[in-house]
Amino acid sequence: MGLFKTFLVVVQVLSALGIIGLVLLQHGKGADMGAAFGSGSSGSLFGASGSANFLSRTTGALAALFFVTTLGLTYLGSYKPKANIGVLGNLPAATAPVAASAAGASSVPAPASVANPQDVPK
């Protein structure tokens, strides 16, 4: 689960950086920043309006990817695994009591603080 969460974080950061870069390259109302990088010419690779469509569609796709990864990280962040007993996992509870030895030991167990059961007075 941790590897998948790390993958989602990497995809989210890359899509966020891509959105930032594409928004800075797009034309504004006055084409201030976009013209400085050469995307204002009509003889470009995409034509006069082709770059605007390409940039806006790519920005939309990256925004959708960012949204999906954010939802995925939110879901994974709220996931709570069941509590278990360390490495052994969930062990079933013992249903039968421990059988007493044939030597006539009492059914009352010795206190946990006693180191040697032979030292307990009868």
Side-chain angles (χ1 to χ4, degrees):
M1 191 66 74
L3 184 64
F4 186 64
K5 191 183 283 190
T6 303
F7 174 73
L8 281 180
V9 168
V10 168
V11 169
Q12 185 178 29
V13 168
L14 290 177
S15 65
L17 291 175
I19 290 170
I20 290 169
L22 287 174
V23 166
L24 288 176
L25 287 177
Q26 289 182 19
H27 287 285
K29 293 275 184 186
D32 298 326
M33 203 59 189
F37 291 111
S39 64
S41 65
S42 63
S44 66
L45 178 64
F46 301 108
S49 64
S51 69
N53 286 338
F54 173 75
L55 291 176
S56 62
R57 287 183 184 180
T58 308
T59 304
L62 285 178
L65 181 66
F66 182 82
F67 182 72
V68 168
T69 56
T70 302
L71 287 177
L73 285 171
T74 303
Y75 177 74
L76 290 178
S78 66
Y79 174 74
K80 303 279 191 243
K82 292 191 301 185
N84 60 11
I85 306 173
V87 178
L88 299 176
N90 290 331
L91 296 177
T95 56
V98 178
S101 66
S106 66
S107 62
V108 177
S113 63
V114 177
N116 191 355
Q118 296 172 351
D119 295 337
V120 178
K122 293 187 180 188

